[in-house]
Amino acid sequence: MKPIPFENTWPYEKQMGDVYFTACPYCSAENVLTNLSNNGLNRAKEGVKVRINLPCCHQTMVILEADDDYFWTNESLRK
């Protein structure tokens, strides 16, 4: 299996049990609170594919993997 390129990553923050982005990768909205639960985050860290819907622009992000700092997705999020 080929490694996921860094262009397919997006940083996230976890604070008080909530997962949020400092900026949305799709519409650039700031401080976007996601609907990802702690259980969903743990599943992503185990390598289980997880989908999240972003409330700012209604885009769906497919997370293939997660670590403590980044979500690794199936699409290029960086230019």
Side-chain angles (χ1 to χ4, degrees):
M1 188 166 120
K2 294 186 342 185
I4 301 170
F6 190 71
E7 292 82 24
N8 292 21
T9 65
W10 199 254
Y12 72 92
E13 299 290 330
K14 184 175 177 186
Q15 191 171 49
M16 302 288 291
D18 293 329
V19 177
Y20 69 94
F21 298 134
T22 55
C24 176
Y26 303 106
C27 70
S28 301
E30 295 181 359
N31 299 320
V32 179
L33 179 63
T34 69
N35 63 345
L36 190 63
S37 65
N38 284 328
N39 185 32
L41 180 59
N42 290 335
R43 290 172 48 98
K45 286 182 178 181
E46 293 171 0
V48 177
K49 188 187 298 184
V50 176
R51 296 177 189 268
I52 60 172
N53 297 316
L54 299 172
C56 51
C57 58
H58 304 289
Q59 288 284 341
T60 300
M61 178 186 286
V62 179
I63 301 168
L64 302 176
E65 296 179 29
D67 59 25
D68 290 333
D69 299 313
Y70 291 95
F71 289 137
W72 299 78
T73 69
N74 64 343
E75 62 184 315
S76 179
L77 300 173
R78 299 171 187 271
K79 300 199 178 4

